Amino acid sequence: MTTVDERDLTQQRDRDRRFHLHANTNPTRFAETGPVMVRRAEGVYLETDDGHRVIDGMSGGWCTNVGYGDPRLVAAASEAMQQLSYQLTFGGRTNAWVADLSARMAEVTPEQYDQFFYASTGSDAVESAIKIALYYWHLRGIPTKRAIIGRDLAYHGNTIFATHLVGSPDAGKQYGFPLTDVVSRTASPYWYRFGRDRDPGEFGLDAARALEAEILRLGPDNVAAFIGESIQATLGLIVPPDTYWPEIRRICDRYDVLLIADEVVTGMGKTGRMFGFETYGFEPDLFTLAKGFTSGYFPMSCVAVGAKVGDALRASDQVLAHGFTNCGHPVGAAVALANLDVILGDGLVERAAGPIGARLAERLAELTRHAAVGRVDAVGIIGSVELDLSRIDDSATIADSVAFGAEVGEIAWSLGLHARPIGTTFGMMFPMIITEDQVDAAGEILHAAIERATAEWSARR
Ligand SMILES: Cc1ncc(COP(=O)(O)O)c(C=O)c1O
């Protein structure tokens, strides 16, 4: 059999262009450009069919924590698939892999988390966490608590309820949303955009207290939960001030509002602790995991349930009327277990907290020599570069900085780095196996890309 490596992929490119309805893609532009076909990936590198090789500073969709092609995950999937290719876990049935995974999750999470629900994607983990939160208030006999508060610039997925929680004025417009009045929104702790003339710690406290004001506006008896990503990612890579999360926890406790941490991006070691909430010093009542939960080798996500909700679930005599065909899939569980073994066994969290994280912080700090760079943040292997053309030209708008970011992204791709412009930030999340030399190479490319984009922008003015 000819491998994909050896094949001429012209035919597949044409098939893709004609028959594949692409997610998050503009069809008119796609008809002109056709697909970019990735032929293969290995370690931290992606290679397209024309032989262009790039460092994947996006770790796929922020998910390939252990890098590409790790034979240990491949073997785990293959063994499980041969023995038990599928099993339905409804009604108390189970399989050995998901039982072992759950026990392992209880070990690697803080003590209060001792029940784990499984789904397939980040979006359905978020939906599940919200349904579990609403079910909790039903069990407690307070059904008025229905409102879910999200944040500006938040992203929690693309299913219908999760889309309602996306903190952008455009979210759901194409679908006639909102369909529900139980979602509301509070401020983002985006210091550079909304508070850079202030002390970051004070700004963080005020951003948290905006939640308190929203709870009081809705009435605490009507609010079920607050949901937030410990580091906002999809609509701007926004690192919160350290004061923010402990204050959010205090406010949720004060008004008996459940705190859901969406750890779909920040979970599984990227921040230099196993979970982002550990980096920020708080414990949520429920948290979600996906993406790095299986490093993208199999679609599987998880909701971790803490003591407050978990005790009520355990005491209930009702059926938890929620589940998906693929809950607790044996192959997904086998991959998640192998993924955990690699992350912990190879010391990837320590690397993110230690030498690799430090190297990334150094390389990013060097970028502040560019006038167009307003601020950089590095947390573990997550990096954020705030691009701000108004520092060069008073008349430059936010839209100019967004367009500039897109240009930096394209130049970086051509020079061998895949990284993502997100709003006015330029975001990176490297596979956690990245070496110091590869971080240096990525830093050099970013430097060159910002330099070239700045020169081109200046020439156009
Ligand atoms: C914080 C967060 N939650 C949820 C999701 C949705 O995950 P998925 O695309 O797997 O549904 C994402 C995706 O980027 C995310 O960033």
Side-chain angles (χ1 to χ4, degrees):
M1 198 178 81
T2 320
T3 69
V4 170
D5 269 355
E6 293 154 352
R7 264 197 251 160
D8 169 8
L9 297 178
T10 312
Q11 214 179 38
Q12 282 77 19
R13 227 178 287 114
D14 186 48
R15 286 177 183 159
D16 192 274
R17 186 204 287 265
R18 292 172 61 198
F19 301 120
H20 179 184
L21 176 58
H22 275 258
N24 285 328
T25 299
N26 178 321
T28 305
R29 286 218 355 233
F30 181 67
E32 286 161 15
T33 61
V36 174
M37 187 164 298
V38 176
R39 183 191 286 268
R40 63 185 182 136
E42 195 180 4
V44 301
Y45 292 101
L46 286 179
E47 192 180 314
T48 55
D49 58 342
D50 56 2
H52 186 52
R53 198 162 180 255
V54 296
I55 295 176
D56 189 4
M58 283 275 297
S59 54
W62 298 337
C63 57
T64 57
N65 290 27
V66 302
Y68 294 96
D70 189 306
R72 293 166 288 185
L73 273 68
V74 176
S78 162
E79 272 166 34
M81 200 176 272
Q82 286 178 49
Q83 193 171 329
L84 185 64
S85 52
Y86 173 79
Q87 188 261 323
L88 181 69
T89 58
F90 293 3
R93 292 180 182 80
T94 196
N95 61 75
W97 292 273
V98 78
D100 283 349
L101 173 63
S102 304
R104 193 90 170 90
M105 286 301 294
E107 278 167 22
V108 303
T109 53
E111 197 180 340
Q112 66 155 313
Y113 305 99
D114 64 359
Q115 291 184 79
F116 302 90
F117 177 89
Y118 301 98
S120 301
T121 68
S123 302
D124 58 18
V126 165
E127 300 279 338
S128 300
I130 286 168
K131 280 181 77 177
I132 292 170
L134 294 172
Y135 181 51
Y136 168 79
W137 293 116
H138 162 80
L139 291 175
R140 284 259 318 258
I142 318 179
T144 55
K145 276 174 120 31
R146 292 171 66 232
I148 309 292
I149 304 178
R151 292 184 298 177
D152 295 334
L153 299 172
Y155 184 77
H156 298 289
N158 260 330
T159 45
I160 290 179
F161 199 88
T163 305
H164 281 77
L165 288 165
V166 174
S168 144
D170 295 333
K173 253 191 188 164
Q174 292 168 320
Y175 305 99
F177 293 175
L179 302 178
T180 172
D181 60 357
V182 295
V183 175
S184 86
R185 206 182 282 166
T186 182
S188 161
Y190 191 173
W191 175 79
Y192 190 86
R193 173 81 58 87
F194 302 120
R196 65 176 180 273
D197 52 340
R198 304 186 47 204
D199 172 70
E202 277 175 23
F203 170 80
L205 287 176
D206 282 352
R209 287 173 191 155
L211 171 63
E212 186 161 29
E214 185 59 7
I215 293 172
L216 291 172
R217 187 183 76 77
L218 295 166
D221 287 349
N222 300 320
V223 181
F226 166 75
I227 182 165
E229 309 140 84
S230 37
I231 294 176
Q232 288 182 267
T234 301
L235 299 190
L237 219 156
I238 303 161
V239 174
D242 288 343
T243 48
Y244 177 77
W245 278 111
E247 184 66 2
I248 290 280
R249 180 68 271 182
R250 186 194 68 74
I251 292 165
C252 288
D253 285 343
R254 175 157 187 209
Y255 298 102
D256 205 8
V257 166
L258 294 175
L259 171 47
I260 304 172
D262 186 344
E263 293 280 334
V264 162
V265 168
T266 45
M268 311 307 292
K270 293 190 197 88
T271 66
R273 298 289 299 268
M274 197 60 173
F275 307 105
F277 60 79
E278 294 176 303
T279 296
Y280 290 104
F282 72 105
E283 286 189 11
D285 297 300
L286 296 156
F287 69 92
T288 55
L289 296 168
K291 296 187 187 271
F293 189 53
T294 52
S295 283
Y297 286 62
F298 193 92
M300 187 173 201
S301 58
C302 174
V303 181
V305 181
K308 178 170 172 166
V309 177
D311 290 349
L313 295 184
R314 279 217 170 89
S316 163
D317 187 26
Q318 300 179 33
V319 170
L320 172 64
H322 179 65
F324 306 107
T325 305
N326 288 328
C327 278
H329 196 293
V331 179
V335 172
L337 268 170
N339 183 58
L340 262 174
D341 285 347
V342 172
I343 289 175
L344 294 171
D346 291 1
L348 298 186
V349 185
E350 289 77 12
R351 288 176 87 244
I356 296 297
R359 193 66 157 246
L360 177 63
E362 255 174 59
R363 292 287 85 88
L364 292 187
E366 286 167 11
L367 296 176
T368 55
R369 73 190 127 145
H370 294 281
V373 171
R375 174 187 167 84
V376 294
D377 279 299
V379 184
I381 50 92
I382 300 176
S384 175
V385 179
E386 181 80 43
L387 298 171
D388 180 0
L389 287 179
S390 73
R391 290 162 52 84
I392 305 177
D393 175 351
D394 283 351
S395 66
T397 61
I398 286 182
D400 290 329
S401 293
V402 172
F404 180 75
E407 212 168 317
V408 173
E410 271 172 36
I411 298 170
W413 171 270
S414 72
L415 297 177
L417 172 68
H418 184 210
R420 181 169 170 189
I422 323 166
T424 54
T425 58
F426 201 77
M428 278 150 289
M429 280 183 212
F430 293 98
M432 293 162 70
I433 56 166
I434 194 164
T435 63
E436 276 135 305
D437 286 351
Q438 289 163 340
V439 170
D440 288 347
E444 278 309 309
I445 291 175
L446 252 185
H447 159 66
I450 294 172
E451 191 163 75
R452 200 198 294 173
T454 308
E456 286 174 11
W457 186 77
S458 302
R460 279 197 305 271
R461 270 199 299 163

